[in-house]
Amino acid sequence: MFFTTDEVHADAFFDNLQTNTWTLRPKTSVWPKNYSGWVKLASDSANNKLFLFGMNSDEAGSPVNNCLGYANDVWVYDILNNAWQLKHSSDPSDFGNRCTLDSAAWDPAYPEPRHTYGGLAFDSRRNLLVLSGGGNRTTSFRDTWTYNFANNQWIKKIIHNISDCSKPSHAISAEYDPVNDRVVVFSEGDSMCGFSGLKHWYFSPATNTWTN
């Protein structure tokens, strides 16, 4: 699936690998608007669900609805019913349409608003979203969070320390490996930590540790 959104569109395209064709799903009445840009969605293939976290409002350099900021909302997309649902927002009264000016009004009980790029995976064994790294205009994050759908709660597993090069920052892709019970993260180069090129990282939800 490819998903793109701005203040007007929330387009979901599905690629049929057997016929090599793309299909555009109709836009629904509820969708993650006021955001723009690209982001990798985490997937729950057993239940035909996709998950979206964060994004920003000025990816193309032009503000969306005069809002220069980032979000920390959790959305779920039901593939079979073509339906979006807002599961969590630090400002639920605004139903996910709020943009946060970087860290302004940020509640530390939730992940700081950011663009996750590819750093979101679904832990199917524990029914948790696993969020690693990401960034906004002022910070590149090296923290790790889990989101529990059962109690609608975020838990910080690894604290943010920008100088800790044993944790990934900007991930290109992340997937849960059920055989080895770990999240595999594929990240780009990190100039702050002195390495270039691409790198694999492994997060263990059982021990809350990163290895590479």
Side-chain angles (χ1 to χ4, degrees):
M1 175 191 176
F2 176 78
F3 172 70
T4 180
T5 178
D6 57 26
E7 71 273 27
V8 178
H9 304 93
D11 296 331
F13 292 88
F14 285 84
D15 182 18
N16 187 320
L17 298 179
Q18 293 181 334
T19 61
N20 196 30
T21 56
W22 284 94
T23 302
L24 173 62
R25 303 295 295 272
K27 187 176 74 172
T28 59
S29 59
V30 176
W31 45 280
K33 58 184 175 182
N34 281 3
Y35 312 139
S36 66
W38 71 273
V39 69
K40 174 191 171 293
L41 280 69
S43 62
D44 175 5
S45 57
N47 296 294
N48 294 296
K49 300 290 175 59
L50 296 170
F51 310 105
L52 169 69
F53 170 82
M55 292 187 74
N56 64 318
S57 66
D58 59 343
E59 180 80 321
S62 58
V64 176
N65 294 345
N66 297 317
C67 179
L68 291 168
Y70 292 76
N72 62 354
D73 305 328
V74 177
W75 289 84
V76 178
Y77 179 65
D78 185 325
I79 298 175
L80 297 182
N81 296 305
N82 188 34
W84 284 98
Q85 180 186 12
L86 179 67
K87 290 295 293 184
H88 185 278
S89 174
S90 55
D91 185 8
S93 64
D94 198 27
F95 203 68
N97 297 331
R98 172 195 50 78
C99 288
T100 301
L101 285 172
D102 292 333
S103 300
W106 163 57
D107 186 334
Y110 313 126
E112 193 163 352
R114 68 189 70 183
H115 196 313
T116 57
Y117 303 98
L120 190 67
F122 178 69
D123 177 349
S124 56
R125 178 177 296 189
R126 299 168 182 83
N127 196 36
L128 300 174
L129 280 182
V130 180
L131 166 67
S132 62
N136 56 33
R137 288 191 301 277
T138 60
T139 305
S140 292
F141 297 100
R142 298 189 193 281
D143 53 358
T144 305
W145 293 76
T146 59
Y147 173 72
N148 189 322
F149 288 92
N151 59 17
N152 198 31
Q153 183 179 18
W154 281 102
I155 297 178
K156 183 184 289 187
K157 310 300 284 189
I158 304 290
I159 64 172
H160 167 60
N161 181 353
I162 191 60
S163 61
D164 184 357
C165 294
S166 66
K167 313 292 189 303
S169 180
H170 287 189
I172 297 173
S173 182
E175 294 292 343
Y176 176 68
D177 172 6
V179 175
N180 296 293
D181 188 25
R182 64 184 183 178
V183 175
V184 182
V185 172
F186 191 47
S187 74
E188 59 188 357
D190 193 327
S191 59
M192 179 172 291
C193 291
F195 67 86
S196 58
L198 303 174
K199 193 169 185 175
H200 282 94
W201 303 80
Y202 306 97
F203 175 71
S204 168
T207 61
N208 294 329
T209 55
W210 282 97
T211 56
N212 60 51

